[in-house]
Amino acid sequence: DAGVIQSPRHEVTEMGQEVTLRCKPISGHNSLFWYRQTMMRGLELLIYFNNNVPIDDSGMPEDRFSAKMPNASFSTLKIQPSEPRDSAVYFCASSFSGGRSREQYFGPGTRLTVT
Amino acid sequence: DAKTTQPTSMDCAEGRAANLPCNHSTISGNEYVYWYRQIHSQGPQYIIHGLKNNETNEMASLIITEDRKSSTLILPHATLRDTAVYYCIVNSGGSNYKLTFGKGTLLTVNP
């Protein structure tokens, strides 16, 4: 299995521009998570999807952030307009929610720099 | 979920066993202990989890005390590539999907 795939791996953009991060979860997994990691705040959960439906978006910082999961094999995290404080590494993770244990498998991340 | 306490950092010699402790004194009966690690510039990596019994897989062993208030992750023969931040997380699983990553333990494997 290829694991969780994220693109792009690095993104540099100017303040005010729209940024779209992409994620392909592991085949067969029905839960998908978007996290953000910064030195100051560590690893934070932004949003959780189960069976393509957003279940918990309480971690999404503000209206500038939106996430979609149009099908079981693809999700996007969009920031519009981007700001310098959005600079961070964004991780996507997936898991299978059918069992009791809920181990999550993370992608390599997208390093976003907003200038 | 129960709170966990881990040392900030540890050192280990290459080829020796690395034993990483974690305290979770408020763990409840239905909560699992999970271990993840994050190698520099990579995403967190799932290592192992357990409920009551000791567990072993190709990466590591997990020893949980009988009262379940603490656990130890054992890397039997540490290599330089095992240098990473190791996170101990307690979670009840099922509908509880949230993994709370604390600051973890920075394990440095020295040649």
Side-chain angles (χ1 to χ4, degrees), chain A residues 18-59:
Chain A
E18 177 180 294
V19 174
T20 299
L21 311 182
R22 297 172 176 80
C23 175
K24 177 179 169 56
I26 292 173
S27 177
H29 283 185
N30 60 349
S31 292
L32 185 137
F33 308 81
W34 282 100
Y35 289 85
R36 177 172 68 176
Q37 187 172 38
T38 61
M39 289 292 292
M40 290 292 291
R41 300 174 67 91
L43 199 60
E44 305 174 279
L45 176 66
L46 299 178
I47 188 168
Y48 159 58
F49 290 88
N50 193 51
N51 294 322
N52 311 337
V53 176
I55 302 299
D56 181 359
D57 65 355
S58 60

Side-chain angles (χ1 to χ4, degrees), chain B residues 20-35:
Chain B
L20 293 96
C22 179
N23 284 319
H24 31 79
S25 59
T26 60
I27 193 169
S28 60
N30 66 340
E31 290 183 314
Y32 289 88
V33 178
Y34 290 82
W35 283 84

Side-chain angles (χ1 to χ4, degrees), chain A residues 100, chain B residues 1-3 24-33 50-52 64 67-69 90-93 96:
Chain A
R100 171 73 194 286
Chain B
D1 295 329
K3 182 178 170 60
H24 31 79
S25 59
T26 60
I27 193 169
S28 60
N30 66 340
E31 290 183 314
Y32 289 88
V33 178
L51 186 61
K52 296 180 183 178
I64 303 174
D67 63 7
R68 303 210 324 123
K69 292 185 177 183
V90 170
N91 175 275
S92 58
N96 185 356

